[in-house]
């Protein structure tokens, strides 16, 4: 239908011109005049003036102006009193980047501080230590004030319906109070403890990292890599294994051998039976190293079957060290140099030691070989540094007592995870009971409310929790210290570290409601209804919210978790600034040239080499820049892409395609408003009048189907299917079919009652259709809805608070749906015949009927069929009346067929040949279908309903063959008369 209408419009435009004019137009295409720049004259917070004439075409800049500030000013996003509630706390994007929708941002400890540190190094050549803690924190606050609003402005521009009066930031007073309260309670409950354990350490940032901040780089074999902090032209080898010592062991990190405290072999490996319980001498340190057996750790079939054990610098070795009570020797200083435990290598940088160790082993004749070894290199996602496992005394959260209730909440249905395929990941991760390191060696964030008690004359152990007290403030900590060390003179020294950002973010759903106070909002809105987030942080963030929420409030913080798709570029690559494929939503909304896109790269902290790489990537992905798509198109595209848990390869041209759909939406509404006229008065409600035509009953049925689908699909959060359902209704049912069909019915001079009924139905479809579209495209739907007249009982001032359409029983009509489809099939068959025989204008159709039923159904719809068959002439023949000679035929079913007069317009012998081929093909299809119905299994097992449907198909094939045979007879008669 869409292609037909496009061709028809082109044909009409061509016919409207004279031959000379058409030729000139073809020879000299007119250049479109540049669009004048739109200027918004609506004062902030006021409603847009809709009294002006509707623009000829859709302009996203003009349409999307003014509405959001008016929605905010009218408090449309604030919750209303209702027995039902639906509460969503937005996932808190970090500052680098009734229904209650709470907006939040987190302070992004490592990300924010590293951005500012890069900035001051780039601009001043200084580090944070040149400024001190207080000065650097103030710099980050200044940076937050300057850039932190960007993501909030993006959210506003995207039309998000946040209740902005409830905006929270993880470092504001409310969240800070909740964070310290949670830390103290968890410490008192024995959940938070202090321990000297392995952590992921970034030497470049001088801090521990969470697992989510460590990215594994896969290497196929020997690879030369540069490392942050070393000269740019200095490369180091990774992806190789070196072999050393008389007991030959293999290692990919040969520099860590200085911290080896055992050699492990398999107890069943006969090569080493004689060495069990003996010692090997370290070639550089002189340390005697025990030879231990461990069947769980050692694979005797792999390499030499002997494995060096460095418990203080490898997570797997750490577990071995605990099992065998080995010595844990830390080699590393925080800056990446080796300490005194490294002997003569003390003070050297870790990767320089790697080279030196190989050289020294070769000098002693102890170096055996070097081979390629595929491996993963852990890197810091913020700095690119190669991270190291390192022993550090840190604060930890004991997860086992928190994880079990969180797993049970999913098992018993109190918490639903969508898609449910992620439940296995949930249970696997929580079931490992890995304690959570919450210390970060940063200055930006919540400083840990723990205080070391310094007693005069005593050397306290900072890794021992007995020397520490906690407090919501220093006064409380002092009080606790006095109780713990009565009558002793002491000083308190607060831990310089800050808490992991995930800790405060884990308190989100209840802290934003005022917890720990039992506020009215906490009582009313907690637990919340839904959490929407990315699947990549299901465990790092969602699981921690559930664990902390259940322990601190006794309730599951939300009943559903919807994990959305991860947005990648059109080629499926992860978006990265260095690749140049990061897409700013505002650039998609407003459009941007390639030149301006590349200029933005210079505004960040990228290395010059990365900038050049990113520019090449942008030139490849966006050679013509990004077209202006508008907010509505971007929203609709993202929802159309979204299926739970899958990744989205964002193609900007698809977004632009939806912008073109809005132009059709605009034109349809503009046409409808022109038909309605200024004096149109909609009926008080949507109740049927009894005067509705078949076409009206059909479109109302399709509207009902769309409303039913939308409610069901949105409830299931199947946004991909929901956008498809409403898109199909608007484009293929309303725009391309119903609006086209009623053109002659609503033309001047047409029957007044039929015209008014058709327009009332059109109004209902526009009103409810726009409401269905509104969640996906808020701006254009508000703009168009505001231009519609209101029903007498409609008091709603904005579509954003209008009632969402629900299915109505009286609109449902399967009979009307089937009958009108029958009519559309006739029109489609007619267009197909005209196309097949190359008759582009002046088509003459005849519709034959074998029953009164089909005749009476089709007769009143002839004007619509004429419209849908390109303005041809259409004759409806009474039952038994034959089509004139010289026609070709297309059978619709066993009751009706459409004939196209081709006499004098085609080669008869050629057309008879075509028809004979059709008869052969249809006969083969019919025989195959009939043969299937004659098998004993079919006769015995197939339900009667399916048998009846199959027989109806066979009957239709017979009718089609008969109609084709009659068409040949007519051609032969015509040929004989020539």
């Amino acid at each position: 239908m869409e292609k037909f209408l496009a061709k028809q419009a082109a044909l009409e435009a061509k016919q409207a011109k004279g031959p000379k004019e058409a030729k000139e137009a073809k020879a000299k295409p007119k250049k479109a005049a540049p669009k004048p720049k739109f200027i918004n004259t609506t004062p902030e917070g006021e409603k847009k003036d809709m009294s002006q004439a509707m623009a000829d075409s859709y302009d996203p800049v003009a349409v999307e102006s003014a509405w959001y500030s008016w929605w905010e000013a009218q408090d449309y996003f604030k919750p209303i009193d209702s027995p039902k509630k639906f509460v969503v706390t937005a996932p808190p994007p970090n500052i680098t980047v009734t229904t209650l929708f709470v907006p939040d941002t987190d302070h992004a400890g490592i990300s924010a501080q590293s951005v500012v540190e890069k900035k001051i190094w780039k601009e001043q050549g200084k580090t944070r230590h040149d400024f001190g803690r207080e000065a650097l924190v103030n710099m980050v606050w200044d940076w937050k004030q300057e850039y932190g609003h960007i993501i909030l402005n993006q959210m506003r521009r995207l039309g998000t319906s946040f209740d902005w009066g409830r905006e929270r930031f993880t470092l504001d007073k409310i969240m800070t109070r909740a964070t310290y309260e949670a830390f103290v309670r968890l410490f008192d409950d024995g959940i938070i403890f202090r321990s000297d354990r392995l952590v992921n350490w970034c030497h470049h940032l001088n801090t521990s990292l969470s697992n989510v901040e460590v990215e594994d780089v896969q290497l196929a074999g020997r690879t030369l890599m540069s490392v942050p902090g070393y000269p740019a032209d200095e490369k180091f080898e990774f992806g190789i294994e070196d072999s050393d010592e008389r007991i030959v062991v293999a290692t990919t990190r040969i520099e860590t051998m200085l911290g080896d405290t055992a050699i492990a072999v398999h107890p069943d490996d006969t090569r080493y039976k004689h060495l069990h319980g003996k010692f090997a001498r370290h070639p550089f340190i002189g340390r005697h190293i025990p030879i231990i057996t461990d069947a769980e750790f050692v694979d005797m079939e792999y390499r030499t079957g002997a494995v060096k054990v460095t418990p203080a610098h490898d997570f797997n070795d750490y577990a071995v060290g605990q099992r065998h009570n080995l010595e844990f020797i830390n080699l590393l200083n925080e800056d990446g140099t080796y300490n005194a435990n490294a002997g003569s290598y003390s003070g050297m940088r870790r990767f320089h030691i790697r080279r030196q160790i190989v050289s020294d082993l070769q000098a002693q004749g102890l170096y055996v070989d070097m081979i390629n070894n595929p491996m993963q290199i852990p890197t810091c996602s913020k700095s690119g540094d190669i991270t190291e496992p390192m022993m550090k005394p840190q604060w930890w959260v004991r997860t086992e007592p928190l994880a079990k209730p969180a797993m049970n909440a999913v098992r018993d249905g109190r918490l639903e995870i969508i898609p449910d395929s992620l439940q296995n990941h949930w249970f696997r991760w929580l079931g490992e009971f890995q304690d959570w390191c919450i210390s970060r060696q940063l200055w930006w964030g919540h400083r840990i409310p723990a205080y070391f008690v310094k007693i005069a004359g005593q050397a306290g152990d900072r890794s021992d929790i007995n020397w520490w007290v906690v407090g919501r403030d220093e006064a409380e900590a002092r009080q606790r210290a006095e109780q713990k060390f009565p009558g002793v003179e002491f000083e308190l020294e607060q831990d310089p570290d800050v808490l992991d950002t995930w800790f405060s973010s884990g308190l989100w759903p209840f802290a934003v409601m005022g917890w720990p106070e039992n506020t009215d909002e906490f009582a009313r809105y907690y637990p919340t209804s839904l959490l929407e987030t990315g699947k990549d942080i299901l465990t790092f963030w969602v699981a921690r919210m559930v664990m902390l929420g259940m322990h601190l409030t006794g309730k599951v913080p939300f009943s559903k978790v919807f994990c959305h798709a991860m947005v990648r570029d059109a080629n499926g690559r992860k978006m990265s600034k260095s690749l140049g494929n990061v897409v700013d939503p505002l650039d998609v909304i407003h459009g941007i040239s390639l030149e301006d896109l590349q200029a933005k790269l210079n505004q960040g902290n990228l290395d010059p080499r990365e900038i050049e790489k990113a520019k090449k990537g942008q030139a490849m992905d966006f050679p013509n820049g990004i077209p202006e798509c508008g907010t509505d198109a971007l929203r609709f595209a993202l929802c159309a892409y979204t299926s739970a848990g899958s990744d989205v390869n964002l193609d900007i041209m698809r977004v632009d395609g939806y912008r073109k759909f809005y132009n059709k939406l605009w034109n349809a509404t503009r046409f409808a408003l022109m038909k309605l006229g200024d004096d149109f008065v909609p009926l008080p409600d949507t109740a049927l009048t009894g005067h509705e035509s078949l076409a009206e009953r059909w479109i109302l049925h399709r509207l009902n189907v769309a409303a039913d689908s939308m409610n069901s699909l949105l409830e299931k959060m199947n946004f991909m299917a929901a956008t498809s359902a409403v898109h199909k209704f608007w484009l293929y049912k309303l725009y391309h079919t119903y609006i086209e069909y009623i053109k002659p019915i609503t033309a001047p001079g047409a029957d007044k009652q039929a015209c008014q009924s058709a327009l009332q139905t059109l109004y209902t479809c526009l009103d409810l259709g726009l409401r269905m579209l509104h969640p996906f495209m808020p701006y254009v739907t508000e703009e168009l809805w505001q231009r519609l007249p209101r029903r007498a009982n409609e008091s709603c001032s904005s579509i954003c608070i209008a009632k969402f359409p629900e299915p109505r029983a009286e609109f449902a009509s399967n009979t009307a749906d089937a009958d009108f489809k029958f009519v559309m099939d006739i029109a489609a068959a007619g267009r197909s015949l005209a196309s097949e025989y190359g008759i582009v204008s002046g088509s003459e159709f005849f519709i034959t009927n074998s029953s009164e039923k089909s005749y009476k159904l089709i007769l009143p719809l002839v004007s619509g069929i004429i419209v849908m068959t390109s303005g041809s002439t259409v004759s409806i023949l009474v039952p038994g009346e034959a089509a004139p000679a010289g026609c070709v035929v297309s059978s619709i079913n066993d009751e009706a067929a459409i004939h196209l007069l081709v006499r004098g317009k085609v080669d008869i012998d050629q057309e008879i040949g075509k028809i004979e081929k059709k008869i052969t093909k249809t006969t083969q299809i019919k025989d195959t279908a009939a043969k299937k119905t004659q098998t004993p299994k079919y006769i015995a097992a197939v339900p009667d309903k399916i048998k009846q449907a199959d027989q109806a198909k066979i009957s239709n094939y017979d009718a089609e063959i008969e109609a084709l045979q009659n068409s040949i007879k007519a051609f032969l008669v015509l040929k004989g008369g020539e």
Side-chain angles (χ1 to χ4, degrees):
M1 177 65 79
E2 184 177 3
K3 291 180 180 178
F4 154 70
L5 289 170
K7 289 179 180 177
Q8 183 64 17
L11 181 62
E12 289 173 356
K14 185 176 180 181
Q15 290 173 342
K17 298 178 180 180
K20 184 177 180 182
E21 183 185 357
K23 189 174 181 181
E24 288 177 356
K26 186 175 181 180
K28 294 182 180 180
K30 288 186 178 180
K31 213 172 185 180
K35 184 178 68 175
K37 186 176 181 180
F38 172 79
I39 299 175
N40 178 30
T41 58
T42 306
E44 185 80 8
E46 292 190 14
K47 185 177 181 180
K48 188 186 294 187
D49 180 12
M50 302 302 293
S51 65
Q52 299 178 18
M54 191 172 175
D56 291 341
S57 61
Y58 168 69
D59 178 2
V61 177
V63 168
E64 295 173 6
S65 68
W67 288 120
Y68 198 87
S69 64
W70 179 64
W71 292 333
E72 278 196 80
Q74 295 297 310
D75 290 338
Y76 288 146
F77 302 152
K78 291 189 178 298
I80 58 174
D81 290 330
S82 171
K84 295 182 179 180
K85 71 171 185 177
F86 183 75
V87 183
V88 182
T89 54
N94 63 54
I95 58 172
T96 61
V97 184
T98 189
T99 299
L100 173 60
F101 200 5
V102 183
D104 323 289
T105 51
D106 77 28
H107 61 280
I110 291 179
S111 296
Q113 181 169 319
S114 64
V115 166
V116 173
E117 288 196 58
K118 283 182 181 179
K119 185 173 183 289
I120 60 177
W121 176 257
K122 182 178 181 181
E123 294 175 356
Q124 304 178 45
K126 295 182 178 181
T127 71
R128 59 171 157 165
H129 301 288
D130 294 318
F131 295 94
R133 183 176 194 130
E134 184 178 351
L136 182 89
V137 169
N138 288 335
M139 288 180 189
V140 184
W141 273 112
D142 291 341
W143 182 86
K144 187 264 182 189
Q145 297 303 321
E146 184 177 356
Y147 295 102
H149 67 283
I150 291 176
I151 195 163
L152 300 179
N153 288 342
Q154 288 175 337
M155 290 178 177
R156 279 186 165 90
R157 192 64 186 83
L158 284 167
T160 50
S161 52
F162 289 122
D163 182 356
W164 289 103
R166 301 171 189 269
E167 182 187 340
R168 295 264 68 86
F169 177 56
T170 44
L171 288 182
D172 66 24
K173 290 183 179 179
I174 290 176
M175 287 299 300
T176 297
R177 180 187 177 194
T179 299
Y180 289 157
E181 177 71 26
F183 186 94
V184 172
R185 288 195 189 187
L186 292 169
F187 179 88
D188 289 344
D189 292 342
I191 300 297
I192 286 180
F193 64 98
R194 189 166 179 82
S195 180
D196 191 3
R197 298 185 178 187
L198 277 187
V199 296
N200 298 303
W201 187 262
C202 174
H203 294 285
H204 191 71
L205 297 178
N206 273 336
T207 184
S208 58
L209 305 173
S210 68
N211 289 341
V212 75
E213 290 153 345
V214 176
E215 295 180 349
D216 288 327
V217 177
Q218 187 68 46
L219 303 181
R222 180 179 180 271
T223 305
L224 290 174
M225 297 177 64
S226 58
V227 179
Y230 290 80
D233 58 351
E234 187 173 15
K235 305 285 186 179
F236 297 95
E237 286 183 329
F238 294 88
I240 57 173
E241 276 193 342
D242 301 283
S243 300
D244 57 72
E245 303 185 300
R246 296 303 181 192
I247 295 182
V248 180
V249 299
T251 177
T252 59
R253 297 164 64 218
I254 200 167
E255 67 277 9
T256 63
M257 69 175 290
L258 300 173
D260 290 350
T261 56
I263 296 172
V265 297
H266 195 282
D268 299 331
D269 193 333
T270 56
R271 291 172 295 177
Y272 303 114
K273 287 268 189 182
H274 64 291
L275 296 177
H276 291 184
K278 295 186 177 181
F279 292 82
R281 186 181 62 82
H282 197 289
F284 301 125
I285 305 298
R287 184 186 312 126
H288 281 75
I289 301 173
I291 299 170
I292 63 173
T293 60
D294 194 308
E296 181 181 345
F297 180 62
V298 180
D299 178 2
M300 61 182 176
E301 302 298 328
Y302 183 75
R303 299 285 195 250
T304 68
V307 183
K308 61 189 284 298
V309 184
T310 320
H313 292 290
D314 184 278
F315 288 101
N316 293 322
D317 294 10
Y318 180 87
V320 176
Q322 289 186 314
R323 283 200 298 273
H324 295 274
N325 197 28
L326 300 177
E327 185 180 3
F328 286 68
I329 299 176
N330 177 46
L331 297 171
L332 280 162
N333 296 313
E334 292 183 353
D335 63 358
T337 59
Y338 270 28
N339 59 31
N341 291 328
S344 62
Y345 300 93
S346 175
M348 292 179 63
R349 303 179 77 176
R350 52 184 171 147
F351 294 123
H352 290 159
I353 293 175
R354 171 174 294 189
R355 291 174 177 168
Q356 189 62 47
I357 288 280
V358 171
S359 176
D360 291 347
L361 285 170
Q362 290 172 335
Q364 294 187 34
L366 297 175
Y367 190 82
V368 177
D369 197 5
M370 177 182 73
I371 58 175
N372 274 340
N373 182 64
M375 64 181 297
Q376 289 183 332
I377 299 293
T379 64
C380 173
S381 63
K382 309 302 177 185
S383 69
D385 192 16
I386 311 294
T387 63
E388 296 279 357
M390 181 170 165
M391 296 289 293
K392 292 286 290 183
Q394 307 273 271
W395 294 100
W396 299 77
V397 171
R398 202 181 312 276
T399 60
E400 184 172 357
L402 304 181
K404 289 180 178 178
M407 289 191 288
N408 289 335
V410 173
R411 288 193 182 102
D412 61 28
R414 285 174 293 161
L415 176 61
E416 179 184 4
I417 298 175
I418 304 170
D420 58 11
S421 59
L422 291 173
Q423 288 187 13
N424 290 335
H425 180 46
W426 177 268
F427 291 126
R428 183 172 59 254
W429 189 83
L430 285 173
E432 291 175 353
F433 304 133
Q434 289 189 1
D435 293 333
W436 168 22
C437 175
I438 56 174
S439 295
R440 295 292 178 270
Q441 289 64 45
L442 302 170
W443 293 346
W444 171 252
H446 296 103
R447 191 167 176 179
I448 295 176
Y451 299 79
F452 181 71
V453 182
K454 296 174 66 176
I455 300 176
Q458 297 188 37
D461 182 359
R462 291 180 181 270
S463 64
D464 186 351
I465 196 171
N466 293 312
W467 290 89
W468 292 82
V469 293
V470 303
R472 295 163 181 84
D473 53 32
E474 187 174 346
E476 182 183 357
R478 185 166 296 281
Q479 184 180 19
R480 289 181 175 226
E482 289 171 349
Q483 294 172 353
K484 191 171 187 177
F485 301 99
V488 176
E489 186 177 338
F490 61 83
E491 293 180 7
L492 293 183
E493 185 179 300
Q494 187 174 359
D495 192 324
D497 295 347
V498 299
L499 288 166
D500 180 9
T501 303
W502 295 107
F503 185 84
S504 53
S505 294
L507 311 174
W508 212 252
F510 47 97
V512 296
M513 303 299 178
W515 183 91
E517 298 298 325
N518 189 24
T519 63
D520 291 340
E521 297 216 332
F522 179 77
R524 183 179 180 187
Y525 296 123
Y526 185 82
T528 63
S529 310
L530 170 70
L531 177 79
E532 186 270 350
T533 189
K535 64 180 180 181
D536 57 327
I537 54 174
L538 176 66
T539 49
F540 296 113
W541 184 46
V542 181
R544 286 162 177 170
M545 279 192 288
V546 175
M547 288 192 291
L548 293 174
M550 293 184 71
H551 185 83
L552 294 170
T553 72
K555 298 176 180 179
V556 182
F558 25 75
S559 55
K560 285 185 180 180
V561 176
F562 177 78
C563 294
H564 64 232
M566 302 304 297
V567 180
R568 298 179 177 273
D569 72 6
N571 301 309
R573 298 174 303 174
K574 182 178 179 181
M575 289 195 178
S576 163
K577 290 180 181 178
S578 61
L579 289 176
N581 62 348
V582 173
V583 177
D584 183 339
L586 298 185
D587 290 339
V588 180
I589 292 169
H590 301 302
I592 187 171
S593 67
L594 176 61
E595 183 182 6
D596 290 342
L597 199 60
Q598 294 188 334
K600 292 177 69 174
L601 293 171
N602 297 319
Q603 299 170 10
N605 290 320
L606 284 179
D607 181 272
R609 291 169 299 176
E610 290 185 320
I611 290 176
E612 289 307 309
K613 178 182 176 184
K615 284 183 176 180
K616 290 179 182 178
Q618 288 180 337
M620 185 177 296
D621 291 341
F622 312 112
N624 300 312
I626 297 175
E628 177 189 78
C629 299
T631 297
D632 287 326
L634 178 58
R635 286 173 60 114
F636 197 88
L638 289 173
C639 290
Y641 271 120
T642 297
S643 61
S646 300
D647 286 347
V648 165
N649 294 351
L650 181 62
D651 185 349
I652 298 299
M653 298 317 296
R654 182 172 174 182
V655 181
D656 189 49
Y658 285 119
R659 183 215 180 285
K660 293 177 174 63
F661 162 61
Y662 297 153
N663 205 52
K664 294 182 178 181
L665 176 71
W666 185 270
N667 291 338
T669 308
R670 185 167 172 266
F671 168 81
L673 289 170
M674 181 178 66
K675 284 288 185 181
L676 294 177
D678 295 335
D679 57 350
F680 176 79
V681 178
L683 296 173
D685 54 45
T686 59
L688 297 180
T689 64
H691 300 299
E692 288 80 13
S693 67
L694 173 62
E696 291 175 70
R697 297 197 307 276
W698 170 78
I699 193 62
L700 290 173
H701 173 80
R702 299 317 307 177
L703 173 69
N704 211 50
V705 169
D708 188 34
S709 297
M710 288 290 289
N711 278 275
S712 173
L713 293 168
L714 290 176
E715 177 70 25
K716 297 173 183 175
M717 288 172 283
N718 187 342
F719 302 114
M720 177 184 285
T723 53
S724 177
V726 71
H727 180 263
K728 286 178 180 177
F729 169 75
W730 265 95
L731 191 59
Y732 302 114
K733 312 304 180 186
L734 184 59
Y735 180 62
H736 284 323
T737 303
Y738 182 73
I739 287 178
E740 288 296 319
Y741 185 87
I742 67 171
K743 282 182 177 178
I745 300 172
T746 58
D751 181 83
K752 288 187 177 180
Q753 185 182 64
C755 176
Q756 273 301 304
S757 184
L759 291 177
Q760 290 290 346
T761 298
L762 175 60
Y763 174 85
T764 296
C765 290
L766 290 173
D767 177 24
L768 300 184
L770 288 171
R771 296 186 195 206
M772 285 193 293
L773 276 172
H774 181 71
F776 306 115
M777 49 183 81
Y779 292 108
V780 69
T781 51
E782 181 75 274
E783 180 95 4
L784 296 176
W785 194 78
Q786 289 291 346
R787 291 187 177 276
L788 295 179
R790 293 286 172 271
R791 299 187 189 275
N793 62 358
E794 175 68 76
S795 60
C796 192
S797 56
S798 170
I799 193 173
C800 72
I801 56 171
K803 182 176 173 60
F804 193 80
E806 294 180 356
R808 297 181 55 127
E810 63 177 340
F811 283 2
S813 177
N814 290 325
T815 301
D817 191 42
D819 288 348
F820 195 74
K821 181 182 182 301
F822 173 56
V823 174
M824 288 192 292
D825 288 345
I826 292 174
R831 292 194 305 275
S832 179
L833 283 174
S835 174
E836 183 179 353
Y837 289 94
I839 301 174
V840 296
S841 63
S843 302
E844 295 179 68
F845 290 106
F846 300 88
I847 300 175
T848 56
N849 298 276
S850 62
S851 70
E852 285 289 331
K853 176 186 173 185
S854 65
Y855 175 74
K856 290 180 178 178
L857 175 64
I858 298 168
L859 187 61
L861 306 175
V862 65
S863 63
I865 296 175
I866 290 173
V867 170
M868 291 193 289
T869 51
S870 308
S872 56
T873 60
V874 178
S875 299
I876 313 297
L877 305 182
V878 297
E881 183 179 1
C887 289
V888 290
V889 64
S890 179
S891 178
I892 309 306
N893 57 22
D894 57 0
E895 292 187 330
I898 186 167
H899 306 253
L900 171 65
L901 185 63
V902 296
R903 180 174 51 197
K905 301 179 180 180
V906 297
D907 182 315
I908 291 178
D909 290 334
Q910 187 178 359
E911 299 312 321
I912 289 175
K914 288 182 181 179
I915 296 172
E916 287 174 339
K917 288 181 180 179
K918 283 186 178 180
I919 291 174
T920 300
K921 184 177 181 181
T922 305
T923 301
Q924 290 174 344
I925 295 172
K926 186 202 83 167
D927 291 345
T928 300
K931 185 177 180 181
K932 183 185 73 172
T933 65
Q934 295 165 4
T935 63
K937 185 176 180 181
Y938 178 93
I939 295 169
V942 174
D944 290 341
K945 187 175 181 180
I946 295 178
K947 288 180 180 178
Q948 292 169 6
D950 289 340
Q951 286 302 319
K953 288 180 183 177
I954 293 170
S955 178
N956 288 340
Y957 293 140
D958 285 331
E960 184 176 354
I961 292 168
E962 183 181 357
L964 291 167
Q965 289 170 339
N966 289 335
S967 187
I968 290 178
K969 290 177 183 177
F971 270 123
L972 291 173
V973 170
L974 183 65
K975 183 178 181 182
E978 287 181 345

